[in-house]
Amino acid sequence: MARRTARTSRPARSDQQAVTAASPCPCGLPATYGACCGRFHAGTATAPTAELLMRSRYSAFAVRDEPYLLRTWDPATRPSAAAPDPAMRWTGLEILDATDGSPFHTTGTVTFRARFNQQGERGALHERSRFARHEGAWVYVDGDFLE
């Protein structure tokens, strides 16, 4: 079983200016949005690992890409809508743990903390998410809120 723990990334953008292909990626990896999560959102590539899918889904919330969120949600658990809250500003992502989820696995989990501001209040979403392969691509299945 592959297991990685507590890696830090540079903080994601806290302002809500338009994200362009040349902007830093909201997921916090040291790459531009176009070279990182933007290529997944545009459909020109698929996330090769559960962790990269999780990062791209965080970025989709940050840029409010509802079609991507729905497209990468397991059909068995997918809601009819996943509209990101326009009052929520995602400000940082920390991957705390990842188990399995490599190109050689069929399932994986990613534990993360996503920070946000909502109407002037700071908060954090701490979740252990489950991922699986569906028709060859990683999809989000469900998760457990922690803390």
Side-chain angles (χ1 to χ4, degrees):
M1 165 169 49
R3 185 178 180 92
R4 299 176 302 264
T5 57
R7 288 172 313 284
T8 57
S9 302
R10 65 179 163 74
R13 294 166 46 99
S14 61
D15 60 32
Q16 209 59 31
Q17 296 175 359
V19 175
T20 68
S23 299
C25 193
C27 83
L29 289 177
T32 64
Y33 173 69
C36 195
C37 295
R39 63 196 167 114
F40 304 140
H41 296 173
T44 60
T46 58
T49 66
E51 180 181 331
L52 285 175
L53 179 67
M54 208 293 312
R55 286 180 175 279
S56 71
R57 287 177 55 81
Y58 169 87
S59 291
F61 276 101
V63 301
R64 297 184 179 96
D65 186 347
E66 181 182 20
Y68 182 77
L69 292 168
L70 292 172
R71 188 169 71 243
T72 58
W73 209 311
D74 189 306
T77 58
R78 180 188 306 139
S80 59
D85 182 347
M88 189 170 285
R89 305 287 185 244
W90 295 96
T91 59
L93 175 66
E94 180 182 8
I95 302 298
L96 302 171
D97 186 46
T99 304
D100 297 336
S102 80
F104 305 104
H105 294 104
T106 58
T107 62
T109 62
V110 179
T111 304
F112 66 92
R113 184 172 292 113
R115 300 192 190 293
F116 61 86
N117 286 321
Q118 187 173 29
Q119 299 176 342
E121 298 289 322
R122 291 182 182 181
L125 170 66
H126 187 192
E127 181 177 316
R128 179 175 299 114
S129 296
R130 284 178 284 283
F131 297 88
R133 290 200 182 262
H134 176 75
E135 297 178 355
W138 285 106
V139 293
Y140 170 79
V141 177
D142 62 16
D144 297 319
F145 294 115
L146 305 172
E147 292 179 13

